[in-house]
Amino acid sequence: MASSRSKRLFTRARRSIPGGVNSPVRAFGSVGGTPRFIERGRGCRIWDADGNEYIDYVGSWGPLILGHAHPAVLRAVRAATAQGTSFGAPTELEIELAEAICAALPSVQKVRMVSSGTEATMSAIRLARAATGRPRVLKFDGCYHGHADSLLVGAGSGVATLGIPGSPGVPAAMTDLTVQAPYNDLDAVRDAFARWGGEIACVLVEPVAGNMGCVLPEPGFLPGLREVCDEHGALLILDEVMTGFRVAWGGAQRHYRVRPDLTCLGKVVGGGLPAAAYGGRRDLMDQMAPDGPVYQAGTLSGNPLAMAAGLATLRALEAPGTYERLAGAAARLAEGLQHIAADQGVEFTATSVGGMFGFAFHPGPIRCFEDAQKNDAERFRRFFGALLERGVYVAPSPYEAGFVSLAHRPKDVAETLEAARAAMKKAVGRAKRPRASR
Ligand code: KE4
């Protein structure tokens, strides 16, 4: 598969953009080789600068749940663009998207639009700290909530620990107030509250951990977080940037029947344009400026083009049977991969929930980041490369989830599994036997 144009573009990009990319994971650092420069997408497929076609399971990391260049989204964005691109003043489109989000997520009585998931989580924890008067935030190892300083903490140690900076440039003072616990470990959470309970403003959690593969919450984990937060007067914030409108129409909170105090959204709600949001209880959200004292702002927050794309996407998702189709496609893929690995005697685990899935070269179960780190990175790297060569584009990192869209038909999944069957052989192919010495 030719990649000469991508190679040339990557060399040129590196001269003016750090790492040649505008977000690190795109650089293929975990899998090697040249990142494919994508020229266009349509439905479930994308084409790169060398004309190679791929069935796409990244979908811009989740937003493209309808598939690329969906006619309804393009029509809505064209209509909005014809009116102008941004006013820095309120527009009716923002009300319509806010009303759609509040109608879909009963726990969200008011919602503020921002431009990225990072802004959404950063603002939600500021509100939680203001509302409770407490400084600490409890998060989970392996969960990613964007790159705000206090949330960029290094991997934990398997028990409840104070955060350590996860990146140069993040002073210890910015992570000292972050408490980390292993995902799915309610005992560690209770320990943390036993030690710092009166100082913990909120628990921030991905209801499905999509940044260490696709790790599902164990039964009782999310309700247990709700219970502990209520016991200690802390707020429960669900980071649904990835799971919102991806796992179910009402998000993972509907799927797992847990009611957060605040919810962060992103990706799907922007329909592929820069939009995200945070929202929740009216008594909390009314503390945000200008009605309340808690400050947060954004030049392009609620941008009309992004609102149009998000609204068109949500309206298309309301169609009956949508989430059965998405869940069916993701499950067929995960189960198919599992069967292929079993046929070839490969240690492998795959999961799916709603329209998202994950897989790892690991016997499973994967219940936390410590487990996820045991993924065989070399096999993953070879599997990724062999899939790419066969026209299947999955996330270029073992610590990411995959996403299907309404444009992934059964025949696309079947084609993917055919490619995966051959790619799995390459991923675990025995090293060539050394030539017998004469
Ligand atoms: P953004 O600031 O990238 O819009 O959102 C941050 C964020 C917040 N919360 C969750 C659960 C997220 O998954 C993300 C961002 N997701 C990654 C992929 N796992 C975005 C891809 C990238 O970083 O390029």
Side-chain angles (χ1 to χ4, degrees), residues 38 93 140 212 285 309 367 373 388:
I38 304 304
L93 276 172
F140 294 90
M212 47 175 151
M285 293 304 291
R367 51 188 304 277
Q373 288 176 298
L388 198 69

Side-chain angles (χ1 to χ4, degrees), residues 23 25 61 116-118 144-146 206 211 239 241-242 267 400:
S23 199
V25 70
W61 302 98
S116 72
T118 296
Y144 175 70
H145 305 287
E206 289 183 60
N211 286 284
D239 178 349
V241 167
M242 185 184 288
K267 297 180 191 279
E400 296 291 351

Side-chain angles (χ1 to χ4, degrees), residues 22-26 58 60-62 115-121 143-148 151 204-212 239-243 264-267 274-276 399-401 403:
N22 283 310
S23 199
V25 70
R26 302 177 192 173
V58 175
S60 182
W61 302 98
S115 298
S116 72
T118 296
E119 270 193 276
T121 57
C143 285
Y144 175 70
H145 305 287
H147 61 90
L151 295 173
L204 174 64
V205 65
E206 289 183 60
V208 174
N211 286 284
M212 47 175 151
D239 178 349
E240 294 227 44
V241 167
M242 185 184 288
T243 56
C264 301
L265 296 166
K267 297 180 191 279
Y399 295 117
E400 296 291 351
F403 306 99

Side-chain angles (χ1 to χ4, degrees), residues 358-375:
F359 61 84
F361 286 90
H362 178 294
I366 297 180
R367 51 188 304 277
C368 63
F369 189 51
E370 199 177 340
D371 295 342
Q373 288 176 298
K374 294 175 190 143
N375 186 359

